[in-house]
Amino acid sequence: MNTKHHLLILSQHDEIYKQLIACEQLPGLLVSAVKEPIKIVHTGEPIDIIFGEPSLISEVLPNMPAVHWVQSTWAGVEPLLVPGMRQDYQLTNARNVYGQAMVEYVFGYLLMIERKILVRWQSQLTEKWDNRPNGTLREKTLGLLGVGSIGSQLANTAHDFGMQVFGYTRQSEDCPAVDRYFHGEELTEFACGLDYLVCCLPGTPATFHLINEGFLSSLPPKAWLLNIGRGSTIDETALIRGLSDYQLAGAVLDVNAVEPLPAGHPLWSTPNTYLTFHSAAQNYPPDIAKIFIENYRRSIEGKPLLYQVDFIRGY
């Protein structure tokens, strides 16, 4: 079969992805792979498909008019949504591959807090016998800001621990493990009474600084905030002020507005704050490659692609 499509893999894991895709012997596909945009070598056949990291793809996409489909290796595609960037192609992202890792991350920290793991370690270091009662997740209320595939898995696990689950979404109510849904103007009502808030939202204009001073003031002082979505959803100045004034019990932040977090940034020393440096759910290439492989087969069969991104909504 003659080659009909030319794929460019643009990723730090370019050779791994190339090998995984080669093993599938996909029909009609010529593959090129590089780590850096500057190393793109044109073979004479125009590249019409790109698979890779949005931050790298955004550097070359404006100059590649033949591209009609981009498969992101990330869930977030913000670099491809900046004003002026092309939107005359089909964009798909990576979904349903991060849930297990996110569940482990979130409940690892929730258990650390309730079971006083670090507190007891600090007591050990000072040779202090510390047998104060532990907390428990049972009957605590977990609020999910965003209930997509990751939020749904978190809700299911929360129920296994005997927690009550609240969910704030744009309009969907698809997860039966959520005990109560909130929408629209109910954001303040959603925040009241939470023990833990987990933000799972994408970074879009609609979610920018959704967690602001007003929202934070609606949370009980006992509440912990965990952000596994995008740093842009939180007004970090307001969060730092709330944590410093002990208006909030603490925060676990896997993402920040600026990454890497600059030296000297106040978050480095904000009380009761744990930073985890965008490590909660790192890409596992075999899982990401499966998404591209399935979508390529769908493409050549004329079927709708999985995980299409709406350029207006940003996810």
Side-chain angles (χ1 to χ4, degrees):
M1 181 177 183
N2 294 329
T3 298
K4 293 184 178 180
H5 299 286
H6 187 175
L7 167 68
L8 171 65
I9 300 173
L10 190 49
S11 167
Q12 297 302 309
H13 306 293
D14 60 323
E15 287 300 325
I16 296 174
Y17 284 127
K18 187 175 182 179
Q19 291 172 12
L20 290 167
I21 291 171
C23 288
E24 295 297 317
Q25 298 183 337
L26 297 173
L29 187 64
L30 173 66
V31 181
S32 300
V34 295
K35 286 183 173 62
E36 301 172 16
I38 197 172
K39 293 183 179 179
I40 292 176
V41 177
H42 294 285
T43 62
E45 294 193 39
I47 292 166
D48 61 330
I49 303 172
I50 305 180
F51 171 45
E53 297 155 21
S55 59
L56 300 177
I57 295 171
S58 64
E59 297 182 36
V60 303
L61 188 60
N63 299 316
M64 304 182 77
V67 170
H68 63 84
W69 167 36
V70 170
Q71 172 68 60
S72 168
T73 59
W74 301 350
V77 292
E78 291 90 341
L80 298 173
L81 302 176
V82 298
M85 185 66 67
R86 280 183 55 192
Q87 296 186 356
D88 58 343
Y89 63 96
Q90 196 160 37
L91 174 60
T92 54
N93 66 356
R95 301 182 206 174
N96 294 330
V97 291
Y98 301 112
Q100 179 63 35
M102 288 298 193
V103 166
E104 292 177 4
Y105 174 90
V106 167
F107 283 91
Y109 276 93
L110 265 56
L111 289 169
M112 179 197 76
I113 294 163
E114 292 291 346
R115 305 298 294 187
K116 297 181 171 61
I117 292 172
L118 285 185
V119 173
R120 299 204 192 281
W121 169 244
Q122 291 165 353
S123 296
Q124 177 182 337
L125 294 178
T126 58
E127 300 184 8
K128 176 184 177 182
W129 185 264
D130 181 1
N131 63 349
R132 288 173 290 174
N134 292 311
T136 178
L137 292 178
R138 185 177 180 181
E139 298 184 356
K140 294 288 180 19
T141 301
L142 174 70
L144 296 170
L145 198 53
V147 191
S149 60
I150 291 172
S152 295
Q153 287 189 249
L154 290 170
N156 290 329
T157 303
H159 264 205
D160 291 340
F161 279 105
M163 302 182 78
Q164 179 177 228
V165 181
F166 290 172
Y168 181 88
T169 70
R170 194 172 59 87
Q171 57 183 188
S172 63
E173 297 188 5
D174 299 331
C175 179
V178 174
D179 298 295
R180 183 180 175 187
Y181 276 99
F182 299 79
H183 309 286
E185 300 300 320
E186 299 175 323
L187 191 59
T188 298
E189 184 182 357
F190 162 74
C192 296
L194 297 181
D195 294 289
Y196 295 100
L197 169 70
V198 181
C199 180
C200 314
L201 293 172
T204 71
T207 64
F208 180 77
H209 284 190
L210 187 64
I211 300 177
N212 52 26
E213 186 172 5
F215 179 89
L216 292 169
S217 66
S218 300
L219 290 169
K222 65 179 180 178
W224 280 79
L225 165 64
L226 294 83
N227 190 6
I228 58 173
R230 284 295 181 265
S232 60
T233 61
I234 295 180
D235 180 343
E236 290 181 346
T237 300
L239 177 62
I240 291 166
R241 183 162 52 245
L243 289 166
S244 299
D245 294 342
Y246 299 97
Q247 297 173 354
L248 196 65
V252 180
L253 306 175
D254 188 54
V255 289
N256 300 102
V258 177
E259 298 179 0
L261 194 66
H265 193 286
L267 276 174
W268 289 111
S269 55
T270 301
N272 292 330
T273 301
Y274 299 96
L275 306 175
T276 62
F277 321 117
H278 217 136
S279 64
Q282 297 173 335
N283 283 353
Y284 180 57
D287 286 345
I288 306 298
K290 286 179 183 177
I291 296 174
F292 171 80
I293 291 164
E294 172 63 19
N295 266 344
Y296 181 77
R297 288 182 172 136
R298 285 173 167 263
S299 176
I300 61 177
E301 292 170 5
K303 297 178 180 178
L305 303 188
L306 300 174
Y307 315 136
Q308 297 181 39
V309 174
D310 183 315
F311 284 105
I312 303 300
R313 294 180 183 174
Y315 59 91

